Amino acid sequence: MATKIRLQRHGRKGYAYYHIVIADSRAPRDGKFIERIGSYNPNTNPATVDLKFDRALYWVNVGAQPTDTVRNILSDEGVMLMKHLQGGVKKGAFDEAEAQKRFEAWKATKNKALDKTREQVAAEKAAQAKARLDAEIKVNQEKAAELAKKKAEALAAQEAAAAAAAAPAEETAAPEATPAAE
């Protein structure tokens, strides 16, 4: 029986995530499988991979053929590197301790790069949030300035109306006082 390591689609339209499964090569994509060894969510930045490393390494060593996408995922997670290093140990090029040391060095470099990517994404989000806040503050200040201008104009109009109302009252009061003085 030829086995494949493949992705099994789940999720809704436009927001798919995948289970990484071991399946018979004749089984349909979302059909019967032998074992689930992980999951892959491409919707996050960076993509989230949850993988049972030892089971994936076992299946690769016994001859299960990964699809192209799964091969990339396994390479990113270090399964293919570990297989390569184990081959070097079998050939006698180096011992198991050296293979583990090389793998840990690769893993540390990989994690450092992943952390850097996460920091960049967080910094970009913070910068975008600050830019949106600054734009909102600017708009609010402009609205406040317009509102203050309208209030000042309305107050000036009220004062002018009050002054205009007071001026005719004074004019009518003054002529009455003049005839009485005569």
Side-chain angles (χ1 to χ4, degrees), residues 141-152:
Q141 288 173 346
E142 290 173 358
K143 285 182 180 179
E146 281 182 37
L147 185 61
K149 183 179 175 185
K150 286 182 181 179
K151 282 185 178 181

Side-chain angles (χ1 to χ4, degrees), residues 39-50 73 76-77 110 114 117-118 121:
S39 63
Y40 168 63
N41 185 358
N43 301 310
T44 60
N45 187 12
T48 306
V49 177
D50 180 30
I73 292 170
D76 288 344
E77 293 298 308
K110 174 86 171 151
L114 195 59
T117 301
R118 287 184 180 131
V121 168

